[in-house]
Amino acid sequence: DLEGQRKWSEHQEMQLQFLYKQGFQPDSKILDVGCGPMRLGVALIPELNNGWYYGQDINSETLEFGEEVLRSKGISSDANYTLFASDKFCLEEVKQPIDIAFSNSLFSHLNLNSIMTCLINIKEVLVPGGYYYSTFFDVLPGQQWVEPIERNKWGHSFYTNPNKDPYHYSSSLLQSIAKQLGFKMKLINEFGHPTQTMASLKNTRKYWF
């Protein structure tokens, strides 16, 4: 419907402009983790010159639909991109060092073990000093982590949970996990998502090894 298309376009533009602010260039190597049906890919791939877009998703059928979306927008199968499915964040298809990794509404669907698996594998392909940007549902001061937390997105009320999808996390917990795995995490307030918080995770590794 028209309303759904408008929200799709708004989210797409929000993500694209955010990545440009974070240094995305036509020669960037970018990894979209939990990429879905090419909401971001359809906007990023045409911007690439010598760069490359890698899109990972758990669902191969979603990626097949994403290919259809790319074709419908006139993006050739020979364009600078690779799509692949993995349910364990296996990134063997990533053949180049990644400058920027990005996820929108991924951590909200993952338990903590899966977030750790995601971070461990991303660290192996991310350039030293590179960034992974990922949104999550934050537990704010005064909110109880052990209780469902009510959220409101575009006038629709829903709850996030400590023990089931959609999950919420305190930023201090994610910062602690990130530090253990070799990332320095901070929050970015200007992303613009209606309900989620953007985390910036810098790969603190200085050298490839």
Side-chain angles (χ1 to χ4, degrees), residues 6-208:
R6 183 183 65 81
K7 290 175 179 177
W8 171 289
S9 297
E10 286 180 358
H11 261 250
Q12 182 187 73
E13 185 64 19
M14 176 183 72
Q15 295 173 36
L16 184 62
Q17 293 306 316
F18 173 80
L19 289 170
Y20 268 113
K21 289 179 182 177
Q22 307 310 319
F24 172 77
Q25 301 286 339
D27 62 350
S28 295
K29 313 301 188 295
I30 188 162
L31 170 62
D32 189 359
V33 189
C35 62
M38 294 293 98
R39 171 183 280 162
L40 181 59
V42 76
L44 278 183
I45 294 169
E47 302 288 315
L48 295 169
N49 185 4
N50 294 320
W52 204 267
Y53 171 93
Y54 291 95
Q56 174 273 336
D57 198 84
I58 191 173
N59 193 325
S60 58
E61 292 181 356
T62 298
L63 296 179
E64 290 173 6
F65 177 66
E67 291 277 10
E68 294 178 11
V69 172
L70 295 179
R71 296 298 92 73
S72 72
K73 298 298 183 180
I75 298 172
S76 167
S77 59
D78 295 326
N80 294 12
Y81 76 93
T82 303
L83 305 183
F84 59 98
S86 172
D87 61 351
K88 299 176 182 177
F89 302 103
C90 178
L91 303 178
E92 291 179 353
E93 296 294 326
V94 177
K95 306 300 185 184
Q96 305 169 80
I98 296 299
D99 304 303
I100 301 172
F102 179 83
S103 295
N104 184 71
S105 300
L106 175 68
F107 286 5
S108 55
H109 301 298
L110 299 181
N111 62 33
L112 199 57
N113 283 352
S114 294
I115 289 176
M116 292 178 68
T117 301
C118 176
L119 291 176
I120 289 168
N121 288 337
I122 285 177
K123 189 175 177 64
E124 292 304 307
V125 300
L126 193 62
V127 297
Y131 285 88
Y132 174 33
Y133 302 100
S134 189
T135 65
F136 69 102
F137 286 114
D138 201 358
V139 179
L140 302 176
Q143 293 178 326
Q144 296 296 317
W145 178 84
V146 295
E147 299 293 337
I149 297 175
E150 186 173 9
R151 315 277 177 172
N152 190 290
K153 183 177 182 181
W154 295 317
H156 298 287
S157 179
F158 66 99
Y159 289 85
T160 61
N161 309 283
N163 61 340
K164 64 180 180 179
D165 187 358
Y167 293 92
H168 56 232
Y169 295 100
S170 67
S171 56
S172 59
L173 173 61
L174 290 185
Q175 283 175 328
S176 177
I177 295 298
K179 184 176 181 180
Q180 290 183 44
L181 299 178
F183 290 92
K184 183 177 182 180
M185 176 180 148
K186 66 177 183 178
L187 302 182
I188 299 179
N189 295 321
E190 63 269 21
F191 179 53
H193 195 285
T195 55
Q196 297 194 35
T197 299
M198 175 62 79
S200 162
L201 299 119
K202 182 180 181 180
N203 184 5
T204 58
R205 187 168 69 185
K206 295 182 179 179
Y207 309 100
W208 287 109

